[in-house]
Amino acid sequence: MEPVMTAGVFPPGKPKLYGRREERQALARLLAGVRGGHGGVRVLRGEAGVGKTALLDDLAATAADLQMVRAAGVESEMEIAFAALHQLCAPALTRLDGLPGPQRGALGVAFGLENGPAPDRFLIGLAALTLLTEAAAGSPLVCVIDNAQWLDRASRQALAFAARRLPAEPVLMVLATREPLTELAGLPELEVTGLREADAQALLASVAQ
């Protein structure tokens, strides 16, 4: 399966970052792990404008040789159940027929592909996990999710369910959020704070050129 991108276009080339050595090293270790067949998850948490998206772009560029899906929370879709999960899983829906019947039916109803009663949330999470792990069977998969504070609640629950079960699979999931989220509680976090003064000055100088 060729590398896949969705819900966002990456900037050409590797983005220039100032500072962020510790954060980039932490993400590089996760990438090394997934390349070695070990899954992982990290929640980047920091206030608006602090640089979380830049770190996600840098991660995406560093992992350009791997399969990738990317999604972002949209504030206007917060009340639409499973909207963000559909955004993330859309490239893998060709594998939907290969899921066990109960999982396939639950996800099909959640995504409006078939009719049925409200799907069981456990089956939705399990189906999302199965889709991601099946997609990673041939090559490691990186899932990058920005603005997680704007994900609909049903998607956050399903993604958190999958994230807690990724260590044994070659799938890396990195989510960025402005605030702590109940559904993501307990997942490993990486706090993103402001740049050091020297790095901030270098950034300002680059913009002024």
Side-chain angles (χ1 to χ4, degrees):
M1 182 175 177
E2 294 298 321
V4 175
M5 294 187 219
T6 185
V9 177
F10 301 123
K14 189 171 177 62
K16 173 67 175 177
L17 278 185
Y18 291 86
R20 303 299 183 199
R21 179 179 178 183
E22 293 82 2
E23 294 93 335
R24 295 174 75 186
Q25 286 178 339
L27 294 175
R29 286 192 293 270
L30 290 171
L31 275 181
V34 78
R35 285 191 170 99
H38 306 289
V41 60
R42 197 64 88 241
V43 177
L44 306 185
R45 184 165 59 84
E47 62 187 22
V50 78
K52 301 183 299 298
T53 299
L55 279 168
L56 294 181
D57 287 342
D58 182 73
L59 172 68
T62 303
D65 59 313
L66 302 178
Q67 293 188 92
M68 182 169 299
V69 289
R70 189 167 189 176
V74 179
E75 192 171 10
S76 61
E77 296 184 359
M78 288 184 68
E79 301 304 318
I80 304 175
F82 303 112
L85 186 65
H86 180 269
Q87 191 184 149
L88 188 74
C89 292
L93 288 183
T94 55
R95 300 174 180 269
L96 190 60
D97 288 342
L99 295 184
Q103 296 180 35
R104 182 177 64 250
L107 207 58
V109 172
F111 291 167
L113 301 175
E114 57 185 83
N115 295 320
D120 182 272
R121 296 296 174 93
F122 171 78
L123 287 175
I124 293 293
L126 197 58
L129 175 64
T130 303
L131 271 185
L132 295 177
T133 55
E134 286 293 318
S139 174
L141 174 66
V142 179
C143 303
V144 178
I145 304 161
D146 203 359
N147 288 323
Q149 75 278 353
W150 290 337
L151 299 181
D152 60 279
R153 186 166 180 265
S155 291
R156 287 204 302 255
Q157 290 175 334
L159 291 173
F161 177 95
R164 293 188 177 95
R165 290 157 177 82
L166 289 180
E169 307 294 342
V171 180
L172 171 62
M173 185 181 296
V174 181
L175 308 96
T177 179
R178 297 179 183 178
E179 58 200 39
L181 298 171
T182 301
E183 295 83 3
L184 305 184
L187 294 177
E189 283 195 354
L190 178 61
E191 186 177 5
V192 183
T193 58
L195 289 171
R196 296 187 178 93
E197 183 176 355
D199 296 322
Q201 289 178 350
L203 176 59
L204 287 173
S206 72
V207 173
Q209 290 177 356

